[in-house]
Amino acid sequence: YFYPDLPKGYQISQYDQPFCHDGYLELASGKKIGITRVHLEEDTGKLQHQGNQTWIDFNRSGVPLVEIVTEPDFADSSESDEFLKEIQAIVRTLGISSADMEKGSMRLEANISLRPEETTELPDYKTEIKNVNSFRFVKKAIDFEIIRQAKILDAGEKPKQETRGWSEAKGETVAQRGKEAAHDYRYFPEPDIPPLEFTPDQIARWKEQLPELPAQLRQQLIDKYHLPPAQATILVSSAARLEKFYQLVKDTDPLQAVKAIINAPEAQLNDLVMGKEATETDVEKITEVAQRVVAAQPKAVADHKSGKSQAQFFLIGQIKKELNNADVNLVRTVLDKILAAE
């Protein structure tokens, strides 16, 4: 088919011989989500609609893309949210991709249909929410779609099989086009791509080179450092945060270290210091600036003394304006001492 995001007129995609099939991913709850297939295809361009005009960004058009197709094993949006975040953590741990949704290197699509609780057969329809670029948005879209479809079914009708998008402005899914059946895609072999063949020795070598996966790392953090599962999950989802934790935990209580890392912007992790890493020079510099800020902000100091917690955040922000790389926890400690002496 000709479509502006694929200017050559068709999309190349693995069809009958995907790289992976018939697997599963186990969630922290113990539930297994079936993986139907993992196949390679080429990415498309990005369409941006503005009024009556459509702009086309071709930067990703033709770029290799991994598509993961699951079985219909999700019972609600919380399970799909956990699954998607685990996939992102695995992809990042393996170094496959940055999986940054704001940059278009990871996108989410949900197929949704409802069936009566007493039945086991899948419904004969489904709606697909396309190209969602946020965990939060796909969760909202699923929750909205469940309510929308339930109302249609309760009225004795059947939801249309169609592709829908998520409108954050409206807070709802919106219809895009009717959804085709498989035969409508008119698959045909691409004659210019040779087959890919891997030897058992290659596969064995690649397996040996695999790093520890997020589930293993998460369990190590829980067992060795007694971190809450939610905090361990956040650390494992970011290689930079996990590396910083291992660096800080040598000299700092694990729970204090993980709290500081989670609260710090990722761009400032390299400058985060705690415990023995905080030098006298760091303290002297922060103290000098903090004293100047406190003297210049008498109203904020008075608000703090009257119990307004926002005043402390304001003062910390003023200090951080002058010391961009200062550790927030160290700034708070120094500030507390100065305010206590006021």
Coordinates of all heavy atoms in Angstrom, one line a residue, residues 1-11 42-49 54-63 107 109 130-131 177:
Y1 N 0.8 -1.2 0.0 CA 0.0 0.0 0.0 C 0.9 1.2 0.0 O 2.0 1.2 0.5 CB -0.9 0.0 1.3 CG -0.1 0.0 2.6 CD1 0.1 1.3 3.2 CD2 0.4 -1.1 3.1 CE1 0.8 1.3 4.4 CE2 1.1 -1.1 4.3 CZ 1.3 0.1 4.9 OH 2.0 0.2 6.1
F2 N 0.4 2.3 -0.5 CA 1.1 3.6 -0.5 C 0.6 4.4 0.7 O -0.6 4.6 0.9 CB 1.0 4.4 -1.7 CG 1.8 5.7 -1.6 CD1 3.1 5.7 -1.8 CD2 1.1 6.9 -1.3 CE1 3.9 6.9 -1.7 CE2 1.8 8.1 -1.1 CZ 3.2 8.1 -1.4
Y3 N 1.6 4.8 1.5 CA 1.2 5.6 2.7 C 2.4 6.6 2.9 O 3.5 6.2 2.7 CB 1.0 4.8 3.9 CG 0.1 5.4 5.0 CD1 -1.2 5.8 4.7 CD2 0.7 5.7 6.2 CE1 -2.0 6.4 5.7 CE2 -0.1 6.4 7.2 CZ -1.4 6.7 6.9 OH -2.2 7.3 7.9
P4 N 2.1 7.8 3.2 CA 3.2 8.8 3.3 C 4.3 8.5 4.3 O 5.4 8.9 4.1 CB 2.5 10.1 3.7 CG 1.2 9.7 4.2 CD 0.8 8.5 3.5
D5 N 4.0 7.7 5.3 CA 5.1 7.4 6.3 C 6.0 6.2 5.7 O 7.0 5.9 6.3 CB 4.6 7.0 7.6 CG 3.7 5.8 7.7 OD1 3.5 5.2 6.6 OD2 3.2 5.5 8.8
L6 N 5.6 5.6 4.6 CA 6.4 4.5 4.0 C 6.5 4.9 2.5 O 5.8 4.3 1.7 CB 5.8 3.2 4.2 CG 5.9 2.6 5.6 CD1 4.9 1.5 5.8 CD2 7.3 2.1 5.8
P7 N 7.4 5.8 2.1 CA 7.4 6.3 0.7 C 7.7 5.2 -0.3 O 7.3 5.4 -1.5 CB 8.4 7.4 0.8 CG 9.3 7.1 1.9 CD 8.4 6.4 2.9
K8 N 8.3 4.1 0.0 CA 8.5 3.1 -1.0 C 7.3 2.2 -1.3 O 7.3 1.5 -2.2 CB 9.7 2.2 -0.6 CG 9.4 1.2 0.5 CD 10.6 0.3 0.7 CE 10.4 -0.8 1.7 NZ 10.1 -0.2 3.0
G9 N 6.2 2.4 -0.4 CA 5.0 1.8 -0.7 C 4.6 0.6 0.0 O 3.5 0.1 0.0
Y10 N 5.6 0.0 0.8 CA 5.3 -1.2 1.6 C 6.2 -1.3 2.8 O 7.3 -0.7 2.7 CB 5.3 -2.5 0.8 CG 6.6 -2.8 0.2 CD1 7.5 -3.7 0.8 CD2 7.0 -2.2 -1.1 CE1 8.8 -4.0 0.2 CE2 8.3 -2.5 -1.6 CZ 9.1 -3.4 -1.0 OH 10.3 -3.7 -1.5
Q11 N 5.9 -2.1 3.8 CA 6.7 -2.3 5.0 C 7.3 -3.7 5.0 O 6.5 -4.6 4.7 CB 5.9 -2.0 6.2 CG 6.7 -2.2 7.5 CD 5.8 -2.1 8.7 OE1 4.7 -2.6 8.8 NE2 6.3 -1.4 9.8
E42 N 10.6 -3.0 9.8 CA 11.2 -1.7 9.7 C 10.2 -0.6 10.2 O 9.0 -0.8 10.1 CB 11.6 -1.3 8.2 CG 10.4 -1.4 7.2 CD 10.8 -1.0 5.8 OE1 11.8 -0.3 5.7 OE2 10.2 -1.5 4.9
D43 N 10.8 0.4 10.9 CA 9.9 1.4 11.4 C 9.4 2.3 10.3 O 9.9 2.3 9.2 CB 10.8 2.3 12.4 CG 9.9 2.9 13.5 OD1 8.7 3.0 13.3 OD2 10.5 3.4 14.5
T44 N 8.4 3.1 10.7 CA 7.8 4.0 9.7 C 8.1 5.4 10.1 O 8.8 5.7 11.1 CB 6.2 3.9 9.7 OG1 5.8 4.2 11.1 CG2 5.8 2.4 9.4
G45 N 7.7 6.4 9.2 CA 7.9 7.8 9.6 C 6.9 8.2 10.6 O 6.0 7.4 11.0
K46 N 7.0 9.4 11.1 CA 6.1 9.9 12.1 C 5.2 11.0 11.6 O 5.7 12.0 11.0 CB 6.9 10.4 13.3 CG 6.0 10.9 14.5 CD 6.9 11.4 15.6 CE 6.0 12.0 16.8 NZ 6.9 12.5 17.9
L47 N 3.9 10.8 11.7 CA 3.0 11.8 11.2 C 2.6 12.8 12.3 O 2.2 12.3 13.4 CB 1.7 11.2 10.6 CG 2.0 10.1 9.4 CD1 0.6 9.6 8.9 CD2 2.7 10.8 8.3
Q48 N 2.6 14.0 12.0 CA 2.2 15.0 13.0 C 1.1 15.9 12.4 O 1.4 16.6 11.4 CB 3.4 15.9 13.4 CG 4.5 15.1 14.1 CD 5.7 16.0 14.5 OE1 6.1 16.9 13.7 NE2 6.4 15.7 15.6
H49 N -0.1 15.8 13.0 CA -1.2 16.5 12.4 C -1.4 17.9 13.1 O -1.5 18.0 14.3 CB -2.5 15.7 12.6 CG -2.3 14.3 12.0 ND1 -2.3 14.0 10.7 CD2 -2.2 13.1 12.7 CE1 -2.2 12.7 10.5 NE2 -2.1 12.1 11.7
T54 N -0.6 17.9 7.6 CA 0.1 16.8 8.2 C 1.6 16.9 7.8 O 2.0 17.0 6.7 CB -0.4 15.5 7.7 OG1 -1.8 15.3 8.1 CG2 0.4 14.3 8.2
W55 N 2.4 16.9 8.9 CA 3.9 17.0 8.7 C 4.5 15.6 8.9 O 4.0 14.8 9.7 CB 4.5 17.9 9.7 CG 4.0 19.3 9.7 CD1 2.8 19.8 10.2 CD2 4.6 20.4 9.0 NE1 2.7 21.1 9.9 CE2 3.7 21.5 9.1 CE3 5.7 20.6 8.2 CZ2 4.0 22.8 8.6 CZ3 6.0 21.8 7.7 CH2 5.1 22.9 7.9
I56 N 5.5 15.2 8.1 CA 6.0 13.9 8.1 C 7.5 14.0 8.5 O 8.3 14.7 7.9 CB 5.9 13.2 6.7 CG1 4.5 13.3 6.2 CG2 6.3 11.8 6.9 CD1 4.3 12.8 4.8
D57 N 7.8 13.2 9.6 CA 9.2 13.1 10.0 C 9.8 11.8 9.6 O 9.3 10.7 10.1 CB 9.3 13.2 11.6 CG 10.7 13.2 12.1 OD1 11.6 12.8 11.4 OD2 10.9 13.4 13.3
F58 N 10.7 11.7 8.6 CA 11.2 10.5 8.1 C 12.4 10.0 8.8 O 13.0 9.0 8.3 CB 11.6 10.7 6.6 CG 10.4 10.8 5.7 CD1 10.1 12.0 5.0 CD2 9.6 9.7 5.5 CE1 9.0 12.1 4.2 CE2 8.5 9.8 4.7 CZ 8.2 11.0 4.0
N59 N 12.8 10.6 9.9 CA 14.1 10.2 10.6 C 14.1 8.7 10.9 O 15.2 8.1 10.9 CB 14.3 11.0 11.8 CG 14.9 12.4 11.5 OD1 15.8 12.5 10.6 ND2 14.4 13.4 12.1
R60 N 13.0 8.1 11.3 CA 13.0 6.7 11.7 C 12.5 5.8 10.6 O 12.5 4.5 10.8 CB 12.2 6.5 13.0 CG 12.7 7.2 14.2 CD 12.1 6.8 15.5 NE 12.3 5.3 15.7 CZ 13.4 4.8 16.3 NH1 14.4 5.6 16.6 NH2 13.5 3.5 16.4
S61 N 12.1 6.3 9.5 CA 11.5 5.5 8.5 C 12.6 4.5 7.9 O 13.7 4.9 7.5 CB 11.0 6.3 7.3 OG 10.3 5.6 6.4
G62 N 12.3 3.2 8.0 CA 13.3 2.2 7.5 C 14.2 1.7 8.6 O 15.0 0.7 8.4
V63 N 14.2 2.3 9.8 CA 15.1 1.8 10.9 C 14.6 0.5 11.4 O 13.4 0.3 11.6 CB 15.1 2.9 12.0 CG1 15.9 2.4 13.2 CG2 15.7 4.2 11.5
R107 N 7.5 2.4 21.6 CA 6.1 2.8 21.5 C 5.3 1.6 21.9 O 5.6 0.4 21.9 CB 5.8 3.2 20.1 CG 6.5 4.5 19.7 CD 5.9 5.0 18.4 NE 6.1 4.1 17.2 CZ 7.3 4.0 16.6 NH1 8.3 4.7 16.9 NH2 7.4 3.2 15.5
E109 N 1.4 -0.4 22.0 CA 0.1 -0.5 21.4 C -0.7 -1.6 22.1 O -0.2 -2.7 22.5 CB 0.3 -1.0 19.9 CG 1.0 0.1 19.1 CD 1.2 -0.2 17.7 OE1 1.1 -1.4 17.3 OE2 1.6 0.7 16.9
K130 N -3.1 2.6 19.0 CA -1.9 2.7 18.3 C -0.9 3.7 18.8 O -1.3 4.8 19.2 CB -2.2 3.0 16.8 CG -2.9 1.9 16.1 CD -2.1 0.7 15.7 CE -1.1 1.0 14.6 NZ -0.3 -0.2 14.2
N131 N 0.4 3.4 18.7 CA 1.5 4.4 18.9 C 1.3 5.3 20.1 O 1.4 6.5 20.0 CB 1.6 5.2 17.6 CG 2.1 4.4 16.4 OD1 2.9 3.6 16.6 ND2 1.6 4.7 15.3
R177 N -9.4 4.3 12.1 CA -9.8 3.6 10.9 C -10.3 2.2 11.2 O -9.9 1.7 12.3 CB -8.7 3.6 9.8 CG -7.4 2.9 10.3 CD -6.3 3.0 9.3 NE -5.0 2.5 9.8 CZ -4.6 1.3 9.9 NH1 -5.4 0.3 9.4 NH2 -3.4 0.9 10.3

